[in-house]
């Protein structure tokens, strides 16, 4: 079943067309990786899906429902779509657990006591049980990024978007964060991620899209896209990064 | 290892100790020389005798100091009720200037006009215009009190500055914090209240401390419209005793408050800079 569907999405910043007619289907429980050089428009596309940026043209459907209607209240949609950023963006003045509980408390009007058991379970699941009362600057990059993932999951999203979430990490910390992604995929989460981790994309993705200049040049299962790319631009990009 | 002394210090530490000792000695002796020069040279000035008698008269100082201190309590009281109101109004104006909803656009313009006007007029002028002007409307007691309108003048002026400082703090919180909050489905007002403001306020505390220190001094301006606070009390003593020493006494009292406060603000700022680097 199609969970998320993009139809000819166009996004411009001034005269700069950053997404130039992108169409893409993500099935329920699928993991789709966006690859491409920096500036290709991967982050912008993810931000558009989460309605952090309005789109100029095209439609975005979540469960068949158009979420890109101009003027639509974005809040209820954002709750259903979680997003994690390259720079973690934890709230530095709150402990890890306060970071995680803020949105469910305010949006779902739940008390800390109500939330505590499920939030603790999430921390536990991602190996952060002893880090709940720490402030972000007392955590390693990998831990911060895992807290950011927990924070997004606490809203019980149906789709998760990840924007190069390992790009700012020391190489030895990348593994623990990718491990979390695998765990999420196994639990059936629908995921879209922009990534430079080609090894991970090849091994874990159901579908890989190569973006260039705001267009999807080529898409397909990783076995095809990495082993047998048809488009010369894909081949050139892969030759450069692999 | 061979270069370590008995105390277990490295060559480098010994060298740095020597440097530190040397700069201490230099700083100490140059300060002594300057102080001695002032102590010796100033009394040699032709008018010193007269100045000493009219500005640094110990008897007058001792006699007027308790009275000045008592009058200073009025300054403290005016400060104490102005400061929280300034903080609240300043924050509201800062928020008004950042609202995005078009329905509230007039609020934005009002906020901008407000900060422009009250930062553009000298405090003393505002104190005169409001402090004399409004009671001049012939309002009944207690609404003709110069305390109320003088305080209002201070509140309006200082809120304009304080609002701009809050705004700079709000703008210093990185856009990505807003994105993160919005991506979680938090409303605009919750984002500001729980994510942006706590960080913004923390960052501008040292700057706001400096505003408080300036306010503490500017309370004395109210003396021009009536309240017998410390500056006016010093003026009364001056006329009474034909001596300027009470003004020096008033300055001493102000310094006793502002110097520790300034040091504390600087300390907070230094601490914050250390934390951020
Ligand atoms: N807020 C913005 N305002 C203007 N231009 C932007 C903005 N965000 C991104 N861009 C531009 O959009 C293009 C794509 O950026 P981005 O989506 O970050 O690419 P990627 O994530 O693939 O590196 C770049 O040329 C960038 O300069
Ligand atoms: Mg990017």
């Amino acid at each position: 079943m199609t969970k998320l569907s993009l139809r000819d999405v166009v996004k411009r910043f001034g005269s700069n067309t950053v997404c130039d007619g992108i169409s893409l289907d993500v099935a329920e429980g699928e993991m789709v990786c966006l690859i491409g050089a920096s500036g290709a428009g991967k982050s912008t596309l993810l931000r558009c899906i989460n309605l952090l940026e309005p789109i100029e043209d095209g439609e975005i459907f979540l469960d068949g429902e158009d979420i890109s209607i101009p003027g639509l209240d974005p809040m209820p949609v954002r709750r259903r779509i979680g997003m994690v950023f390259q720079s973690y963006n934890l709230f530095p003045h709150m402990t890890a657990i306060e970071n995680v509980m803020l949105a469910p408390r305010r949006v779902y009007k739940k008390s800390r006591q109500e939330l505590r058991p499920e939030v603790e379970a999430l921390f536990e699941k991602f190996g952060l049980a002893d880090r709940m009362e720490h402030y972000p600057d007392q955590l390693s990059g990998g831990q911060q990024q895992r807290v950011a993932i927990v924070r997004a999951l606490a809203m019980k999203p149906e789709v998760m978007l990840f924007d190069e979430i390992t790009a700012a990490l020391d190489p030895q910390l990348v593994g623990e964060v990718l491990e979390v992604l695998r765990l999420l995929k196994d639990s059936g989460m629908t995921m879209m991620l922009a990534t430079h981790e080609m090894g991970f994309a090849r091994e874990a993705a159901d579908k890989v899209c190569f973006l260039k200049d705001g267009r999807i040049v080529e898409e397909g299962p990783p076995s095809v896209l990495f082993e047998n790319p048809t488009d010369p631009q894909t081949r050139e990009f892969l030759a450069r990064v692999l | 290892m061979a270069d370590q002394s008995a105390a277990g210090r490295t060559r480098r530490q010994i060298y740095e100790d020597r440097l530190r000792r040397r700069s201490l000695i230099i700083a100490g002796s140059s300060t002594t020389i300057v102080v001695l020069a002032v102590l010796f040279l100033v009394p040699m000035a032709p008018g010193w005798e007269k100045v000493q008698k009219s500005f640094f008269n110990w008897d007058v100082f001792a006699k007027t100091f308790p009275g000045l201190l008592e009058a200073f309590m009025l300054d403290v009281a005016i400060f104490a009720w102005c400061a929280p109101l300034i903080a609240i109004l300043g924050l509201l104006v800062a928020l008004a200037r950042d609202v995005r909803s078009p329905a509230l656009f007039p609020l934005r313009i009002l906020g901008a006009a407000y900060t422009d006007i009250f930062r553009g007029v000298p405090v003393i002028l505002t104190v005169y215009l409001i402090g004399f002007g409004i009671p001049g409307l012939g309002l009944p007691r207690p609404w003709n009190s110069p305390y109320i309108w003088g305080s209002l003048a201070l509140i309006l002026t200082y809120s304009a500055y304080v609002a701009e400082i809050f705004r700079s703090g709000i703008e210093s919180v990185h856009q990505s914090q807003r994105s993160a909050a919005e991506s979680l489905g938090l409303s605009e007002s919750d984002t500001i209240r729980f994510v942006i403001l706590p960080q913004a306020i923390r960052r501008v505390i040292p700057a706001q401390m400096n505003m408080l220190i300036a306010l503490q001094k500017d309370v004395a301006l109210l003396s021009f419209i009536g309240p017998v606070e410390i500056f006016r009390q010093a003026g009364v003593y001056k006329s009474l005793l034909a001596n300027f020493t009470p003004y020096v006494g008033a300055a001493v009292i102000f310094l006793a408050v502002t110097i520790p406060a300034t040091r504390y603000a600087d300390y907070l700022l230094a601490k914050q800079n250390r934390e951020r680097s």
Side-chain angles (χ1 to χ4, degrees):
Chain A
M1 206 199 113
T2 306
K3 185 78 192 168
L4 184 70
S5 180
L6 314 183
R7 288 284 158 266
D8 301 314
V9 169
V10 176
K11 172 68 195 172
R12 291 189 199 93
F13 289 111
S15 60
N16 182 11
T17 304
V18 178
C19 297
D20 195 3
I22 290 187
S23 297
L24 175 66
D25 285 321
V26 184
E28 181 126 36
E30 215 176 23
M31 178 193 272
V32 173
C33 285
L34 306 173
I35 63 170
S38 130
K42 307 181 293 294
S43 301
T44 304
L45 183 62
L46 294 178
R47 292 175 62 86
C48 289
I49 295 171
N50 204 13
L51 308 188
L52 290 173
E53 301 281 357
I55 60 175
E56 263 68 38
D57 204 358
E59 292 101 36
I60 303 173
F61 298 92
L62 181 62
D63 277 338
E65 178 193 336
D66 190 350
I67 57 169
S68 57
I69 301 168
L72 190 82
D73 181 10
M75 303 305 170
V77 176
R78 288 183 189 143
R79 286 161 208 170
R80 299 170 60 194
I81 304 178
M83 181 148 180
V84 185
F85 304 84
Q86 174 176 339
S87 48
Y88 332 135
N89 302 358
L90 291 179
F91 308 134
H93 57 296
M94 295 180 191
T95 59
I97 191 162
E98 286 295 321
N99 261 279
V100 172
M101 292 199 296
L102 176 64
R105 270 174 49 219
R106 299 302 303 173
V107 175
Y108 298 142
K109 310 283 175 217
K110 288 194 188 164
S111 71
R112 287 188 171 85
Q113 290 90 315
E114 271 177 280
L115 288 164
R116 189 107 197 168
E118 55 187 89
V119 167
E120 276 182 1
L122 278 175
F123 274 93
E124 190 84 42
K125 181 170 173 190
F126 296 113
L128 293 162
D130 55 345
R131 290 289 179 274
M132 291 192 298
E133 307 299 336
H134 287 59
Y135 283 90
D137 63 4
Q138 300 170 317
L139 300 173
S140 74
Q143 289 166 342
Q144 289 190 54
Q145 197 55 293
R146 282 183 285 149
V147 172
I149 294 171
V150 167
R151 181 174 70 177
L153 290 175
M155 291 301 285
K156 302 206 168 72
E158 301 159 38
V159 177
M160 285 283 286
L161 310 174
F162 299 91
D163 188 8
E164 304 212 17
I165 60 166
T166 57
L169 296 177
D170 291 338
Q172 75 271 18
L173 300 178
V174 169
E176 64 186 63
V177 173
L178 294 182
E179 199 47 50
V180 167
L181 294 182
R182 284 194 193 93
L183 212 64
L184 271 180
K185 180 172 156 52
D186 291 343
S187 68
M189 179 62 78
T190 308
M191 302 154 75
M192 240 178 117
L193 45 131
T195 187
H196 282 309
E197 297 289 332
M198 297 303 155
F200 178 77
R202 174 186 270 173
E203 162 224 332
D206 299 298
K207 180 153 66 180
V208 180
C209 303
F210 170 60
L211 260 77
K212 187 166 191 279
D213 301 331
R215 293 167 192 269
I216 296 181
V217 173
E218 187 167 355
E219 67 171 278
S223 53
V224 176
L225 196 117
F226 284 110
E227 316 303 336
N228 263 318
T230 51
D231 196 289
Q233 296 182 84
T234 318
R235 260 181 258 145
E236 188 211 349
F237 172 76
L238 289 175
R240 225 164 357 103
V241 298
L242 288 181
Chain B
M1 287 297 121
D3 288 324
Q4 286 207 346
S5 75
R9 294 178 311 160
T10 63
R11 241 171 16 165
R12 169 113 214 141
Q13 283 167 330
I14 294 170
Y15 170 73
E16 280 174 357
D17 280 355
R18 196 181 311 140
L19 273 191
R20 210 170 303 134
R21 220 166 13 228
R22 227 182 64 176
S23 28
L24 261 179
I25 291 170
I26 293 175
S29 36
S30 69
T31 309
T32 316
I33 290 169
V34 170
V35 169
L36 286 179
V38 170
L39 286 181
F40 278 105
L41 291 179
V42 169
M44 279 162 69
W48 170 244
E49 198 107 333
K50 252 171 45 199
V51 168
Q52 192 186 16
K53 241 189 239 145
S54 53
F55 282 89
F56 300 101
N57 185 320
W58 176 251
D59 291 336
V60 173
F61 186 88
K63 203 159 93 190
T64 57
F65 196 77
L68 289 173
L69 211 53
E70 203 181 310
F72 186 62
M73 287 307 122
L74 180 57
D75 292 73
V76 172
I78 293 172
F79 173 83
W81 70 60
C82 285
L85 293 174
I86 288 167
I88 294 168
L89 184 60
L91 193 55
L92 289 179
V93 172
L95 292 174
R97 293 201 60 181
D98 275 338
V99 292
R100 291 174 181 187
S101 142
L104 300 178
F105 186 69
L107 210 59
R108 261 176 91 152
I109 299 198
L110 221 64
Y114 173 83
T115 46
D116 282 354
I117 289 171
F118 282 96
R119 287 190 310 160
V121 176
V123 194
I124 184 66
L125 249 175
T126 311
V127 168
Y128 260 80
L129 288 176
I130 296 180
F132 279 138
I134 295 184
L137 296 174
L139 300 173
R141 280 165 66 95
W143 296 107
N144 57 359
S145 154
Y147 291 94
I148 294 178
W149 302 110
S151 301
L152 181 69
L154 287 180
I155 291 168
L156 290 175
T157 303
Y158 271 81
S159 297
Y161 287 96
V162 163
E164 286 304 285
I165 295 174
F166 276 134
R167 219 158 68 92
S168 75
I170 290 170
E171 264 153 34
S172 80
V173 178
H174 198 265
Q175 190 57 35
S176 62
Q177 289 283 308
R178 212 181 263 271
S179 286
E182 285 176 356
S183 79
L184 288 166
L186 283 172
S187 67
E188 165 110 24
S189 58
D190 277 354
T191 299
I192 290 175
R193 182 169 153 206
F194 294 100
V195 177
I196 310 292
L197 271 190
Q199 299 184 57
I201 290 176
R202 225 162 285 197
R203 279 182 207 182
V204 298
I205 283 176
Q208 301 292 30
M209 282 278 301
N210 283 324
M211 291 311 295
L212 286 182
I213 293 163
L215 171 67
Q216 174 61 64
K217 292 183 295 176
D218 277 352
V219 167
L221 292 175
L222 295 204
S223 64
F224 289 107
I225 59 167
V228 184
E229 50 69 67
I230 185 168
F231 179 62
R232 194 162 176 119
Q233 183 64 51
V236 170
Y237 284 138
K238 182 213 76 181
S239 310
L240 218 60
L241 307 168
N243 191 291
F244 287 98
T245 305
Y247 285 127
V248 175
V252 167
I253 291 173
F254 273 112
L255 288 176
V257 173
T258 51
I259 289 181
T262 312
R263 288 289 124 235
Y264 185 62
D266 285 355
Y267 160 78
L268 284 182
L269 192 63
K271 200 172 97 174
Q272 228 173 44
N273 286 339
R274 256 202 321 277
E275 276 166 8
R276 216 173 306 171
S277 61

